[in-house]
Amino acid sequence: MISTSVKIVLAFVWTLLLFSCDSNKVFEKYVEVENATWEKGEILRFEFEALDTTLAHNLYVNITNTGNYPYSNLYLFLEMHGPDGGVLRDTVNCILANKRGKWLGKGIGDLWDLKIPYVGGFKFAQIGTFSVSLEQAMREDVGLKGVTDVGLRVEKVRN
């Protein structure tokens, strides 16, 4: 079993590696899930500036989970608010493991980080501030254990 302090150091090093040398990134932020337990009704919020309406963008949901996460997927309610007040609501099924139970994404120790495509080739209709809310939708009466961090990434599509 890896100690908590070692997990924190490994997560920090992992994050540095993920964020280095990334010219396509427009926005990326992770929110730590307290005690690696995503409580029912807990909403994680992200806010970013869209500065270009001519370039296509890819949007990703990033999930970091432990090997003790009890499921192979994670359902999310996603809500995006645009600068004009428009709202997009969606349910997203994030596949975290294959049919044999092998975790997808990049792993180090007991932590797995996965960048899950949400929408590709998306062009923002307006310049301005967008906000995205994510809520776990796994129908657990108690907190969902094993999710350590949740993130959102917006990047320019490579030519």
Side-chain angles (χ1 to χ4, degrees):
M1 186 79 179
I2 298 174
S3 72
T4 303
S5 59
V6 172
K7 284 183 182 180
I8 291 170
V9 170
L10 289 174
F12 178 72
V13 170
W14 189 252
T15 302
L16 285 177
L17 290 173
L18 288 174
F19 293 130
S20 60
C21 302
D22 193 352
S23 62
N24 291 324
K25 178 177 72 174
V26 172
F27 172 83
E28 186 165 37
K29 180 181 174 184
Y30 280 80
V31 174
E32 181 181 357
V33 176
E34 191 173 333
N35 299 319
T37 303
W38 197 351
E39 298 295 339
K40 186 174 185 159
E42 180 183 1
I43 298 172
L44 307 178
R45 291 182 169 76
F46 304 88
E47 194 169 280
F48 64 93
E49 294 294 321
L51 302 175
D52 192 323
T53 58
T54 61
L55 291 177
H57 294 80
N58 295 326
L59 279 71
Y60 297 90
V61 173
N62 298 330
I63 303 291
T64 305
N65 63 283
T66 67
N68 295 330
Y69 181 73
Y71 305 105
S72 63
N73 71 326
L74 170 63
Y75 280 102
L76 300 175
F77 294 134
L78 181 144
E79 191 169 287
M80 182 186 297
H81 293 261
D84 66 348
V87 178
L88 166 79
R89 290 183 181 91
D90 202 357
T91 302
V92 183
N93 183 14
C94 303
I95 305 298
L96 304 178
N98 68 19
K99 291 180 181 180
R100 294 186 173 157
K102 182 181 182 304
W103 296 112
L104 304 174
K106 296 179 182 179
I108 187 164
D110 193 38
L111 292 175
W112 295 89
D113 188 64
L114 182 60
K115 183 170 124 176
I116 302 157
Y118 170 60
V119 65
F122 178 78
K123 288 188 179 182
F124 293 103
Q126 302 170 325
I127 291 174
T129 303
F130 285 77
S131 67
V132 175
S133 301
L134 297 173
E135 180 180 2
Q136 65 101 336
M138 291 297 287
R139 298 183 182 171
E140 289 282 330
D141 290 333
V142 295
L144 185 60
K145 295 187 184 305
V147 178
T148 62
D149 299 274
V150 178
L152 179 72
R153 178 179 172 89
V154 180
E155 65 182 36
K156 295 180 261 183
V157 173
R158 294 180 184 176
N159 293 334

